[in-house]
Amino acid sequence: MAKSKAKKLREKLSREGKMNPEAKRSPFVFTDMRNRVTKTKKDHLYQFKHRNHQTPDGNDGSFYFSQAAR
């Protein structure tokens, strides 16, 4: 993999005993600053909008009537 001109220059400066600009970088450069938010109730409901709505106990609200032959 090729080195960029900027990286070559930084390495040259550090070899010559001068200050490496990379050392001045803020520690926040490597952090992910995007906000992480838990889903709202609306987001959660929308996620399951078009799926079969089944509860964990198996009761999905459906029922079955059988008509006995007379």
Side-chain angles (χ1 to χ4, degrees):
M1 192 167 156
K3 292 183 183 179
S4 67
K5 288 182 181 180
K7 186 170 185 176
K8 288 179 187 177
L9 181 64
R10 289 194 305 267
E11 289 177 350
K12 182 181 176 186
L13 288 172
S14 64
R15 274 196 314 267
E16 294 173 352
K18 297 180 182 173
M19 181 64 178
N20 186 352
E22 198 172 26
K24 293 182 182 179
R25 287 186 184 161
S26 170
F28 294 104
V29 171
F30 304 106
T31 59
D32 185 11
M33 301 299 284
R34 291 179 289 182
N35 291 335
R36 303 284 188 211
V37 181
T38 58
K39 290 185 177 183
T40 61
K41 182 178 180 182
K42 187 175 181 179
D43 292 336
H44 185 71
L45 290 174
Y46 186 75
Q47 181 180 5
F48 296 105
K49 183 176 182 180
H50 299 292
R51 295 188 188 173
N52 292 334
H53 300 287
Q54 295 179 350
T55 58
D57 62 351
N59 182 9
D60 60 354
S62 62
F63 50 88
Y64 176 73
F65 285 119
S66 65
Q67 288 184 337
R70 292 183 189 193

